[in-house]
Amino acid sequence: MADASGRGLSLPRVLVAGLGSVSALGEDTAQLWDGLLAGRTGIKPVANFRQEHLRNVLAGEIRLSAAQREYAERYRLDSRIALFARLAMDEALKDAGWTRAYLQKKKVGLVLGTSLGMSLVEKSIDQLDECGGEQVDTYDDFAGLVEELADAYRVSSEALIVTTACAAGTNAIGIAKDMIRHEGYEVVLCGGVDTLDRMKYLGHSALNTLTPTLIRPFTPERDGTLFGEGAGILVLERESLAQELPTYAACAGTGYSCDAHHITGPDPSGAGAVKVMGQALEDAGIQAEDVDHINLHGSGTPLNDGMEYAAIRELFGPAAARIPVTSIKPAIGHVMGAAGALEAVATVLSLRDQKIPPTLNVAAPDPELPLNLVCGEARVAALEHALSNSFGFGGCNGALVFSRVNADQWTDP
Amino acid sequence: MTGDILLTGIGLLSPLGGKESFFRALGEAEAPCRTAGNGSLPPGGLTELLGIKSPKLQIARYLDPLAKNAIVALEEAMGDAGIAPDAVAQDPYGFGILLAATRGPGATRNKAYEQLRARQGKLLSSTLFSNFGYNIAAATAALAHGIKGPNLTVAGRSNLSLLLLRRARQLLATGRCHTVFTGFSESLVNGQAARPVSEWSCIFCLERTERARQRGARAGVVLTEIELESPGLAQPRPCAPAFRLPRAIPQPLPVAALAEAETLDLDLGDPLGIGPEYLPLLQAGRIKATERLRVEKTGYIALPVSSRHGVSLLGVARA
């Protein structure tokens, strides 16, 4: 009971027991992780919606496989957001060794992050172009989505969607962690899911947040981001439930804050980001000098990267130039409400494998933002505690701390 | 989790007006959705209808109607709780916002769809897109009031009202902040402009007890344990028969601290067209006080809280 996630407080430790993901790099977590470590990219021209009038046609889009289509047909899923969520949740539960029937005997919660409801209206966007004055039902009610997922996994207790823009996945995991640590939940399925559509790309084209080229975070040439889609799911469980299967890491700390600065732009001072990272460290019971790795928000927009650097420099001081950091967004795109969850998956696997994936598209980091950016190839490092950051529209900030557990239970990957 | 939470303030905007007129209407068994002429209320018209002119509404050139309502309701809740704006300015991370949004800024989305159609699907307004997010009400309210603590927006099933209180309690009990403004700012807009539109915003000020006492807040209502276990929740429920006053709600609300509930015989219908397989959750009613409140002879009143179906009633209040 006394560890990074509950030291001195007799609080239960929260363990990551299972992982699931769907991303532009593959249909499962193994493909995602292999792709990240190998420096592969999932960015390609969009094919699921029209490319006209977009600032950039590249994205981390998922091309459904035959198996994924068959899954959608079998369960009669008519939205990509539900499909991605269920694929990732199935994988995560299987990975954790839980069956749905067994879960029914436990106190189980479900907390998922996502961003915009237009995710649910793929067909409607095209109809809007074609149907003239006809009204189109926009299917933007999150209650339907959470109902569908809770019913599918027989979650009879709390089932919640967190919608804090691009911090949603991180915030969802943080809430889930606290539900186990403080409220008696035994297992919580958590993470994030999001999809691409033409409306989002038109919107970000208008906002100039889309790069005309590629995501190049923390470089002098950074000029915007590209978006992606997918889902990242973590099965968090109370330590006392730990089964024979190995657990990945402890979900040790989280933080929340709001910039209250601008609807779409970050506070350039990074004050809110400093606060949220500091809260997460305090929650985990560790100091800044204990952090061995940061999975950056790293969206590649000039404002976001500048703010994130300022915040890391403020919190970590001179050590900011030493801690190895990375961004996986160049490889899978900015997956919005699922970004923090997929980055949490990568952070947890970094702790397990003691490897940090490279940041793609970076020849030389910006000397004005002197961070120890892992680029070129994956780096082997001794990692005990890692931080994952997310910053969203509306000034919503989130951070998570994961800590290594049971180092000897995994064979050399 | 331990530690009592106090409800110290309420802000409310409804088609019937602010909280006093709303509660008065409830007491007179008036059904807000029927009597407020919602069919004639244009999307985003609530602040205009009520003649509200707050300087806080000037923070941006464009504000989604739900954001406007949230800004005003939060301002009222702060005032009701006796929290001065400079108290927030001195401790911005001590205050948080937690709102529900099942449908989000529908009026802005509809406006954007219309604009996109007019532009032959080529161009979308960056201003409107910036206000698309489901978290726009909470984010804009934070911006207007300088609140920098946790800022969360959530959606859920028909027990969302209870989830909100539970998450707010989590934020307070785990020390994320000492005060949470929680509630909802919702519209029943559903993409079909011909249907009646109703906007509501209701925000509670919840505080850690020691904080409220420390600042000398007036006596509030104690929010005790919130029990959410409801094993049958995932299963469709049979439709309940029509209510008669006074009559206990057939399926007691899953709040352990609340003893019993009764309705005002005001079934507000099913404006979202969810269908008859669910309980008619959109109803006016009131819930009797908890044991604790009875001892303190504080009586009971009803509070509206958002749910999947729009507005349901929960609660106890007003010392």
Side-chain angles (χ1 to χ4, degrees):
Chain A
M1 294 292 185
D3 201 337
S5 60
R7 55 180 56 165
L9 298 173
S10 296
L11 294 171
R13 201 160 62 150
V14 180
L15 301 178
V16 181
L19 299 175
S21 60
V22 182
S23 72
L25 276 176
E27 295 182 26
D28 58 27
T29 303
Q31 291 179 30
L32 168 69
W33 189 232
D34 289 347
L36 289 174
L37 290 178
R40 284 196 290 272
T41 179
I43 303 296
K44 48 194 170 296
V46 295
N48 288 328
F49 53 87
R50 291 187 295 116
Q51 298 182 353
E52 291 88 354
H53 311 298
L54 305 180
R55 182 174 163 89
N56 194 330
V57 300
L58 297 175
E61 189 179 64
I62 293 174
R63 308 277 169 80
L64 297 184
S65 68
Q68 289 172 325
R69 289 182 187 282
E70 191 276 329
Y71 183 96
E73 288 174 10
R74 190 191 331 150
Y75 293 105
R76 299 183 180 183
L77 303 175
D78 59 2
S79 71
R80 291 167 72 82
I81 197 166
L83 173 62
F84 296 156
R86 289 194 54 176
L87 287 167
M89 289 169 77
D90 278 2
E91 184 197 355
L93 282 173
K94 185 178 179 184
D95 191 33
W98 295 112
T99 64
R100 295 183 198 192
Y102 189 66
L103 282 178
Q104 278 191 291
K105 301 172 186 171
K106 302 294 177 188
K107 185 171 182 178
V108 179
L110 169 67
V111 189
L112 279 187
T114 193
S115 64
L116 296 177
M118 291 91 74
S119 309
L120 311 177
V121 297
E122 183 184 346
K123 293 176 184 174
S124 302
I125 298 302
D126 287 335
Q127 288 171 9
L128 279 169
D129 292 343
E130 296 165 0
C131 69
E134 296 292 319
Q135 285 290 336
V136 177
D137 192 341
T138 53
Y139 301 106
D140 52 7
D141 183 349
F142 278 144
L145 178 64
V146 72
E147 185 93 38
E148 180 175 341
L149 295 174
D151 284 354
Y153 294 91
R154 299 171 189 170
V155 176
S156 61
S157 189
E158 185 160 344
L160 199 65
I161 293 278
V162 179
T163 172
T164 48
C166 299
T170 294
N171 289 157
I173 295 167
I175 290 171
K177 188 268 299 175
D178 278 349
M179 286 166 64
I180 294 175
R181 192 192 282 183
H182 298 284
E183 297 180 34
Y185 280 83
E186 295 171 292
V187 180
V188 181
L189 307 175
C190 61
V193 58
D194 228 322
T195 58
L196 286 172
D197 59 45
R198 182 171 160 77
M199 182 70 90
K200 286 174 183 166
Y201 251 55
L202 281 170
H204 284 289
S205 294
L207 278 174
N208 283 338
T209 43
L210 274 178
T211 170
T213 55
L214 292 168
I215 307 178
R216 293 169 293 186
F218 290 86
T219 65
E221 301 81 24
R222 67 187 188 278
D223 55 6
T225 197
L226 294 171
F227 291 89
E229 60 185 351
I233 298 293
L234 284 71
V235 176
L236 300 186
E237 69 179 24
R238 182 186 286 253
E239 184 176 34
S240 59
L241 260 67
Q243 305 176 97
E244 293 180 356
L245 293 171
T247 51
Y248 288 92
C251 184
T254 192
Y256 315 92
S257 75
C258 180
D259 286 352
H261 174 77
H262 188 269
I263 289 301
T264 56
D267 177 355
S269 76
V274 171
K275 186 73 177 177
V276 80
M277 288 188 287
Q279 278 184 3
L281 298 185
E282 184 180 356
D283 194 30
I286 63 173
Q287 306 296 316
E289 54 265 31
D290 297 325
V291 174
D292 302 308
H293 165 52
I294 304 173
N295 192 304
L296 300 164
H297 182 68
S299 63
T301 68
L303 290 177
N304 258 326
D305 286 1
M307 178 279 291
E308 190 168 15
Y309 169 73
I312 291 172
R313 184 70 176 78
E314 171 71 20
L315 184 64
F316 293 94
R322 172 188 60 80
I323 301 169
V325 300
T326 194
S327 169
I328 66 169
K329 286 185 173 71
I332 60 173
H334 186 337
V335 196
M336 301 165 285
L342 284 161
E343 287 153 17
V345 168
T347 306
V348 163
L349 291 172
S350 283
L351 286 166
R352 183 194 68 174
D353 293 353
Q354 303 284 284
K355 286 180 183 173
I356 302 168
T359 307
L360 303 189
N361 311 327
V362 177
D366 188 344
E368 298 294 315
L369 311 177
L371 294 177
N372 184 4
L373 196 64
V374 176
C375 47
E377 59 183 15
R379 185 184 299 177
V380 176
L383 309 177
E384 286 296 322
H385 306 285
L387 182 67
S388 181
N389 290 336
S390 293
F391 310 115
F393 274 12
C396 294
N397 304 316
L400 293 165
V401 169
F402 293 98
S403 300
R404 195 181 193 204
V405 293
N406 303 335
D408 57 346
Q409 68 179 348
W410 293 96
T411 56
D412 189 9
Chain B
M1 291 187 294
T2 58
D4 279 342
I5 307 299
L6 287 183
L7 193 165
T8 55
I10 303 170
L12 186 145
L13 270 77
S14 80
L16 284 180
K19 63 177 181 295
E20 300 302 337
S21 55
F22 175 76
F23 291 133
R24 193 181 315 120
L26 279 184
E28 294 165 358
E30 188 177 355
C33 287
R34 288 186 195 141
T35 58
N38 284 289
S40 61
L41 179 64
L46 195 51
T47 49
E48 285 79 2
L49 177 77
L50 301 177
I52 294 169
K53 299 188 185 307
S54 167
K56 299 287 187 185
L57 296 176
Q58 307 304 315
I59 60 163
R61 186 164 49 90
Y62 175 83
L63 283 174
D64 180 82
L66 303 188
K68 289 184 187 178
N69 297 344
I71 289 169
V72 172
L74 197 150
E75 189 173 18
E76 187 185 1
M78 273 176 70
D80 197 28
I83 298 171
D86 63 348
V88 176
Q90 289 167 11
D91 182 19
Y93 293 103
F95 296 83
I97 298 177
L98 170 65
L99 296 187
T102 51
R103 306 196 77 90
T108 295
R109 277 202 296 269
N110 282 354
K111 193 177 293 188
Y113 295 153
E114 293 299 327
Q115 186 187 74
L116 188 62
R117 184 181 297 123
R119 294 173 175 177
Q120 288 84 47
K122 296 176 183 174
L123 192 62
L124 186 62
S125 157
S126 59
T127 299
L128 293 179
F129 185 70
S130 300
N131 286 270
F132 261 28
Y134 278 68
N135 63 333
I136 194 66
T140 312
L143 187 57
H145 296 285
I147 293 172
K148 297 187 175 184
N151 191 289
L152 297 170
T153 302
V154 298
R157 295 181 289 187
S158 54
N159 61 350
L160 180 56
S161 311
L162 303 179
L163 299 190
L164 261 187
L165 295 178
R166 185 130 198 177
R167 291 301 116 236
R169 184 180 168 82
Q170 183 191 64
L171 292 174
L172 293 167
T174 56
R176 307 286 180 193
C177 52
H178 53 65
T179 303
V180 174
F181 296 100
T182 189
F184 69 94
S185 187
E186 294 258 50
S187 163
L188 301 188
V189 66
N190 63 356
Q192 298 181 39
R195 299 187 63 171
V197 173
S198 177
E199 295 171 27
W200 298 71
S201 187
C202 180
I203 294 181
F204 303 158
C205 178
L206 301 180
E207 297 183 62
R208 291 179 67 96
T209 303
E210 67 270 22
R211 160 75 185 185
R213 287 182 180 146
Q214 188 181 38
R215 70 176 184 86
R218 65 179 182 188
V221 167
V222 178
L223 181 67
T224 54
E225 184 54 43
I226 303 162
E227 182 53 61
L228 288 170
E229 281 305 298
S230 182
L233 203 57
Q235 305 300 323
R237 296 168 177 171
C239 183
F243 297 125
R244 290 288 177 266
L245 178 73
R247 172 178 175 174
I249 291 176
Q251 185 159 335
L253 292 173
V255 182
L258 300 178
E260 54 184 311
E262 58 188 34
T263 78
L264 294 176
D265 198 22
L266 298 175
D267 181 354
L268 303 183
D270 186 12
L272 301 186
I274 297 297
E277 70 270 27
Y278 296 93
L279 275 171
L281 287 172
L282 189 60
Q283 59 192 253
R286 55 191 169 203
I287 300 167
K288 285 192 176 176
T290 63
E291 291 297 325
R292 183 167 195 157
L293 288 169
R294 274 196 206 124
V295 169
E296 296 170 0
K297 298 180 180 176
T298 51
Y300 58 83
I301 75 169
L303 302 177
V305 183
S306 84
S307 81
R308 171 183 176 179
H309 291 217
V311 181
S312 65
L313 293 179
L314 165 73
V316 291
R318 191 63 73 190

